[in-house]
Amino acid sequence: MDLHFTPEEAAWMARVQEFAQREVAPYAARWDETEHVPRGHVQKLADFGLFGLAVPKAYGGHGRTPLEALLAIEAIAEHCGVSGRLVVDHNFGPTGLIRHYGSEAQKHQWLPRIARGEVLASICITEPHHGSDANQLETCLVEDGKGGYRLSGHKRWITGAGERELYVVLARFGETPGSDGIGCVLVPASSPGVEDGPREPTLGLRGLREAELFFREVPVTPEQILVPAGPGSFRRLMQAYNGQRVGAAMVATGIAKAALKAALAYAQERHQFGRPIADFQAIQFRLADMAIQIDAARYLCYRAIQSGDPPERYAAGVAKTFAAEMAIAVTNSALQVFGGNGYSRRYPIERLLRDARMFTLGGGTVEIQRLGIARALLHHGY
């Protein structure tokens, strides 16, 4: 694997960094406090070219590589985890599912509008009684006897629910049990029968609306089926979802980078016992350990995104597990460098720590990731 960036990749990351410093960093704390990211900011992300990066130009995208999309996520997430998540969703996750499995008509209908920021998309998997055991979903698509279908069910922890225009919904087709009964449909948020549910009051990443969704006999046409249920259908959906996992891992890594940079600056400014606390070996060791962990997470993310398109399950699982746990450890360690000030909302560290806590949970818990990693090892060796 080549970890050296081309001049074009390095220049692209520098451009995104400059944009993030100007258009993202000054507002991240405000979005956390108000628990809302204005649609105008989301549009700025799209206008800069951060949505649909890996979507071919033939479908209205920017024709960049998945690695270039990941580099953009890294640059944005360092300044705002919520903005990083927005870029993930509109390059991987629901966008990736359409890119990989959509019909020509579906790709032409949705991908250009996603890339332009006209349509924001959410993936809908989790239900009140089914999180990690997603192959037991109860949301159901049944034939209506008129050549179409009806979608009924209740989804929970849906990022962007109530604020986005397209839902990419995993559901059970008919009464087929187990994973072979799971397929995927594209549901416009304006469809009759789609109802917004209550918002979850979250610990971190508060600018993202996490909420419930209800599908009450929502009419669905055959043209809205993205992936029909059948042997291997759930496996295909989860394979495409690996891109989302790698993207999430890089958001966690970007948050950790922000914490380390803040701790470095504070350690050189803060004086105790007549000198900067950065002079003390205990602080130096802490900073060094943080950098080691961040470097390792970055390289695991780079390896994962270059393992395939979509990424391999093993590589994606390793990257997400390590980066998610690393981000919690690093932000917590950075808070310790700040001492009592780190516990204050006047400083950014407490927000970074809260934001980091989500990544061991969402998009597949680290326990589920470890199961997938172990199964890959047992089947294919190391």
Side-chain angles (χ1 to χ4, degrees):
M1 178 183 60
D2 185 7
L3 291 177
H4 299 287
F5 301 134
T6 66
E8 293 78 12
E9 290 166 345
W12 164 244
M13 193 171 188
R15 281 183 56 213
V16 180
Q17 276 281 7
E18 189 277 332
F19 168 83
Q21 290 167 358
R22 183 182 71 250
E23 299 290 352
V24 178
Y27 311 105
R30 183 192 307 171
W31 297 333
D32 176 73
E33 184 177 352
T34 61
E35 302 191 9
H36 176 69
V37 174
R39 187 65 179 251
H41 168 67
V42 181
Q43 191 59 53
K44 286 183 179 180
L45 297 174
D47 290 344
F48 188 76
L50 294 171
F51 291 178
L53 283 164
V55 171
K57 292 182 179 180
Y59 301 116
H62 300 284
R64 292 185 178 271
T65 65
L67 175 60
E68 288 175 304
L70 194 71
L71 294 176
I73 291 165
E74 180 178 359
I76 293 292
E78 182 182 329
H79 300 282
C80 175
V82 169
S83 297
R85 283 285 311 280
L86 284 164
V87 178
V88 171
D89 285 353
H90 297 91
N91 284 284
F92 302 111
T95 307
L97 284 171
I98 299 171
R99 178 169 72 89
H100 286 295
Y101 301 135
S103 66
E104 286 294 304
Q106 289 168 340
K107 290 177 182 179
H108 283 292
Q109 180 182 7
W110 296 112
L111 292 177
R113 298 167 68 192
I114 289 172
R116 293 194 299 265
E118 296 172 6
V119 166
L120 302 184
S122 297
I123 191 165
C124 304
I125 303 177
T126 303
E127 298 178 356
H129 303 294
H130 300 289
S132 294
D133 62 340
N135 61 2
Q136 300 299 319
L137 296 178
E138 296 178 21
T139 296
C140 191
L141 186 76
V142 298
E143 295 183 9
D144 63 4
K146 303 175 183 178
Y149 303 86
R150 296 284 172 169
L151 178 71
S152 299
H154 178 191
K155 295 291 186 178
R156 193 174 178 221
W157 288 107
I158 305 305
T159 303
E163 296 180 339
R164 299 187 182 180
E165 288 77 29
L166 178 65
Y167 298 128
V168 180
V169 185
L170 272 66
R172 183 166 306 285
F173 284 41
E175 298 180 358
T176 304
S179 60
D180 288 348
I182 303 297
C184 184
V185 294
L186 302 174
V187 180
S190 59
S191 301
V194 176
E195 296 182 11
D196 302 334
R199 179 175 183 169
E200 292 287 347
T202 56
L203 174 70
L205 296 172
R206 293 177 176 175
L208 288 176
R209 191 176 194 271
E210 301 284 352
E212 298 181 39
L213 277 176
F214 296 92
F215 299 97
R216 304 189 191 280
E217 297 287 318
V218 178
V220 173
T221 67
E223 291 74 25
Q224 290 173 243
I225 295 177
L226 181 66
V227 175
S233 59
F234 184 73
R235 188 179 302 111
R236 291 177 67 210
L237 290 165
M238 291 298 100
Q239 182 181 14
Y241 196 67
N242 287 337
Q244 181 86 359
R245 293 190 174 106
V246 179
M250 189 52 92
V251 175
T253 302
I255 291 170
K257 285 175 65 178
L260 173 57
K261 289 184 177 182
L264 278 168
Y266 186 83
Q268 293 171 82
E269 296 167 359
R270 175 70 169 172
H271 284 65
Q272 290 291 284
F273 305 100
R275 52 180 169 158
I277 63 173
D279 287 353
F280 296 107
Q281 193 176 64
I283 298 296
Q284 293 175 4
F285 282 1
R286 189 178 290 276
L287 295 171
D289 286 342
M290 293 161 67
I292 290 167
Q293 293 182 72
I294 292 170
D295 280 355
R298 292 179 71 202
Y299 293 142
L300 287 172
C301 289
Y302 299 151
R303 180 185 75 166
I305 204 65
Q306 295 182 86
S307 66
D309 187 16
E312 295 176 353
R313 178 70 179 89
Y314 173 85
V318 169
K320 185 177 187 298
T321 301
F322 187 88
E325 294 181 342
M326 174 279 299
I328 294 171
V330 165
T331 53
N332 194 52
S333 190
L335 191 149
Q336 197 69 22
V337 171
F338 275 73
N341 284 337
Y343 197 65
S344 169
R345 284 182 287 171
R346 297 180 186 276
Y347 293 85
I349 293 300
E350 61 86 27
R351 170 170 53 86
L352 297 174
L353 177 58
R354 287 189 287 104
D355 286 353
R357 191 59 187 86
M358 187 279 296
F359 293 94
T360 60
L361 305 169
T365 66
V366 291
E367 290 79 13
I368 291 296
Q369 301 312 306
R370 284 187 165 90
L371 282 175
I373 293 165
R375 287 169 182 163
L377 290 171
L378 291 169
H379 281 94
H380 306 294
Y382 180 68

